[in-house]
Amino acid sequence: MSATLRSTADVIAAEEAHTSGLYTKRGIVLVRGDGATVYDSEGREYIDCVGGQGMANIGHGNAAVADAIAQQARTLASCTELFYNDRRAELYDVLARILPPSLDRFFLCNSGTEAVEGALKFARAATTRTGIVAAMRGFHGKTMGALSATWGPEYRDLFGPLVPDFSHVPFNKPEALDAAITDRTAAFIVELVQGEGGVRPATHEFAEEAARLCAERGALLIVDEVQTGFGRTGTLFAIEQYGIVPDILCLAKSIAGGMPMGAIAFSRKIGDLAKRSHSTTFGGNPLACAAAIAAIGEILRQDLARNARDRGAQLQDGLRAIGSDRIREVRGVGLLVGVELKENAAGALRALQDDGVLALGAGPTVVRYLPPLVITDRQIDRVIAASTKALG
Ligand SMILES: Cc1ncc(COP(=O)(O)O)c(C=O)c1O
């Protein structure tokens, strides 16, 4: 706890005095984390299945990332893209090694929505077309361009008119793609597992048909792996499981071990982008790059994609075994797991928290589990036990 704010009530009062009010807070003050565990200001411990909403894949308090950040902060924290930089060059190398060979150009930014925003601009510039097709229930961020691709009316309705020439097709209906992706389409943007939209994996047929139609009609395929990337779904990237290679891939969340960073990986098909047509002051700063190099190094060294696969299967099996009338469906890929209830999920989320497990919603009726990929089998057992009580 900070020196001036001594009690839990002090912290809550100070936040409440100044908060934007945009977030629904859970009533506890988190002050420390270790692996898949977080601690509140009263010393209470929780298994963290919120996982920083997907940015904590390597777990809390990772020493290699902390050391890399501290070392780089002492060396050179900022260096804009007006200059070359050793850390940025090293990160490009790392990304090129772990991504499909055709995705070998990168634009570094600071968040997921910014990665999507840039991807949409690159697609329009490269194709000289304006149409963007996205999927119903898709989530791509909340800045004006990304929001125009995001589906949820609860996010969009206050802010219209949004960017023109965006349309939405039903998710997992391949037969709907033929009429939507045309020779006026700049890009089709899609999540391979819809996260915010309720933890809904795309069918292979839907993803393959989208890739085929984009290639046939000269539209670009943008895959948004902001939430699914960096081991979450049991492979380093979900595209590996679908056997498709997009023209543009959006990354963020866990790329830099919790430091703010986003990235757009794109193919040579994009062509030369006009100088200064897109940029960001913070993008590619050496501090975030050093964190990303260390975080990706940890994901590979600990084979966290494999742990996501194994622990994800354990979690899904345990949740299915609850067999409650309140549960409509358990679904997910790797450690992106959702339980759809026949009721609002808020009560279950509160009951889980009271029992020492933090989980997320995904739409009104889905309890979403997004733990750090370092979570152990014993911790998963505890999550299953708490869920059996809360959802059974
Ligand atoms: C698939 C997807 N795309 C984009 C975003 C936006 O990322 P950010 O919140 O970093 O702007 C999110 C955030 O949840 C996401 O899940």
Side-chain angles (χ1 to χ4, degrees), residues 253-265:
K253 291 206 193 269
S254 273
I255 186 172
M259 292 282 288
M261 177 178 256
I264 307 169

Side-chain angles (χ1 to χ4, degrees), residues 350-372:
R350 208 169 316 113
L352 282 169
Q353 179 170 312
D354 291 344
D355 204 10
V357 172
L358 303 180
L360 265 176
T365 57
V366 175
V367 176
R368 178 174 32 153
Y369 300 82
L370 211 60

Side-chain angles (χ1 to χ4, degrees), residues 53 111-114 116 139-141 191 196 224 226-227 252-253:
Q53 297 193 316
S111 67
T113 198
E114 245 189 281
V116 169
F139 184 88
H140 300 287
E191 297 158 273
E196 303 298 309
D224 179 347
V226 165
Q227 187 158 155
K253 291 206 193 269

Side-chain angles (χ1 to χ4, degrees), residues 76-347:
L76 184 69
S78 60
C79 170
T80 78
E81 294 239 18
L82 286 178
F83 304 97
Y84 297 103
N85 173 259
D86 53 347
R87 288 283 93 84
R88 191 184 307 130
E90 195 180 338
L91 177 59
Y92 285 166
D93 262 358
V94 169
L95 290 172
R97 249 184 285 128
I98 62 176
L99 285 166
S102 61
L103 295 175
D104 68 344
R105 286 201 296 167
F106 308 104
F107 176 81
L108 298 175
C109 51
N110 315 288
S111 67
T113 198
E114 245 189 281
V116 169
E117 203 73 33
L120 298 171
K121 288 177 71 179
F122 293 179
R124 281 189 166 177
T127 59
T128 64
R129 301 175 180 181
T130 53
I132 305 287
V133 181
M136 291 176 181
R137 287 210 176 98
F139 184 88
H140 300 287
K142 294 182 183 170
T143 52
M144 289 303 252
L147 181 62
S148 305
T150 288
W151 165 251
E154 69 276 30
Y155 306 129
R156 299 165 58 97
D157 283 357
L158 281 175
F159 302 108
L162 298 180
V163 180
D165 225 357
F166 281 64
S167 60
H168 291 83
V169 287
F171 187 61
N172 278 346
K173 287 229 163 64
E175 64 277 15
L177 292 169
D178 183 45
I181 299 173
T182 69
D183 59 9
R184 291 189 50 255
T185 305
F188 176 60
I189 180 165
V190 70
E191 297 158 273
L192 293 177
V193 185
Q194 291 187 326
E196 303 298 309
V199 187
R200 296 169 203 278
T203 61
H204 282 247
E205 199 192 352
F206 183 68
E208 283 161 17
E209 180 65 355
R212 189 188 71 74
L213 284 171
C214 284
E216 183 187 281
R217 298 179 183 174
L220 299 174
L221 177 64
I222 304 174
V223 172
D224 179 347
E225 290 233 35
V226 165
Q227 187 158 155
T228 52
F230 298 99
R232 172 62 54 192
T233 63
T235 46
L236 215 41
F237 300 101
I239 50 172
E240 297 164 37
Q241 294 173 54
Y242 284 84
I244 58 171
V245 178
D247 304 298
I248 306 180
L249 184 69
C250 299
L251 303 170
K253 291 206 193 269
S254 273
I255 186 172
M259 292 282 288
M261 177 178 256
I264 307 169
F266 56 104
S267 83
R268 304 271 152 184
K269 227 168 147 182
I270 304 307
D272 290 333
L273 292 161
K275 295 275 183 217
R276 298 168 63 205
S277 61
H278 195 65
S279 63
T280 159
T281 303
F282 280 120
N285 72 81
L287 195 60
C289 289
I293 295 160
I296 296 167
E298 286 294 283
I299 289 167
L300 298 174
R301 186 183 67 75
Q302 298 183 46
D303 200 358
L304 292 182
R306 188 196 174 96
N307 206 48
R309 213 154 51 230
D310 295 347
R311 301 284 73 80
Q314 180 190 353
L315 178 58
Q316 283 206 48
D317 287 350
L319 294 172
R320 287 213 172 84
I322 297 174
S324 157
D325 278 351
R326 294 166 61 200
I327 296 178
R328 193 181 303 281
E329 192 183 19
V330 175
R331 52 181 181 253
V333 188
L335 275 172
L336 175 45
V337 175
V339 178
E340 181 166 356
L341 302 177
K342 295 176 186 164
E343 63 195 40
N344 190 286

